[in-house]
Amino acid sequence: MVVDISELKKGLVGVIGDWGGWRDSAECRGEDPNQFFPGKGWPKMNELCRRCTVREECLNFALDNFERFGIWGGASERRRREIRRERAIHKGSPQLR
């Protein structure tokens, strides 16, 4: 049985957010997922993120979807929390997670 992954992605958009197609252009596409966690593959992922053309989209996806784990857009979990706090302060909103 052949499954059309594009249909699967469409069905998941409401659950996990809009993929927007940026993942297909990511430098890290096809890398071992274990590499996305600090202490494991951070140096390699950091280098990939620096030269990635969709780094901003990746980071925004993680921020918009409150992704708590791994490296997204070159930012660790801690850095993404800092960014959310900075954005909340800038907007005058209560701090987010």
Side-chain angles (χ1 to χ4, degrees):
M1 177 176 162
V2 177
V3 176
D4 183 355
I5 193 74
S6 64
E7 291 303 313
L8 178 60
K9 286 181 186 178
K10 287 179 192 174
L12 292 174
V13 166
V15 178
I16 58 172
D18 183 8
W19 294 99
W22 59 265
R23 293 184 90 180
D24 295 334
S25 301
E27 284 288 326
C28 62
R29 187 182 76 245
E31 294 290 332
D32 177 4
N34 291 319
Q35 300 274 336
F36 292 93
F37 297 91
K40 296 188 180 189
W42 175 241
K44 180 180 179 182
M45 289 300 112
N46 195 28
E47 182 58 36
L48 285 175
C49 288
R50 268 190 231 157
R51 67 175 187 253
C52 186
T53 60
V54 295
R55 180 179 180 177
E56 186 174 336
E57 291 90 338
C58 179
L59 177 57
N60 285 328
F61 177 85
L63 292 168
D64 292 346
N65 292 284
F66 295 95
E67 182 60 55
R68 293 179 52 205
F69 304 103
I71 308 301
W72 290 82
S76 65
E77 300 98 327
R78 178 178 291 168
R79 179 63 187 129
R80 289 193 306 277
R81 282 193 305 271
E82 292 169 0
I83 293 168
R84 283 203 241 5
R85 280 189 213 104
E86 291 166 7
R87 287 182 177 181
I89 290 168
H90 182 70
K91 289 181 179 181
S93 305
Q95 289 186 2
L96 302 174
R97 302 176 200 191

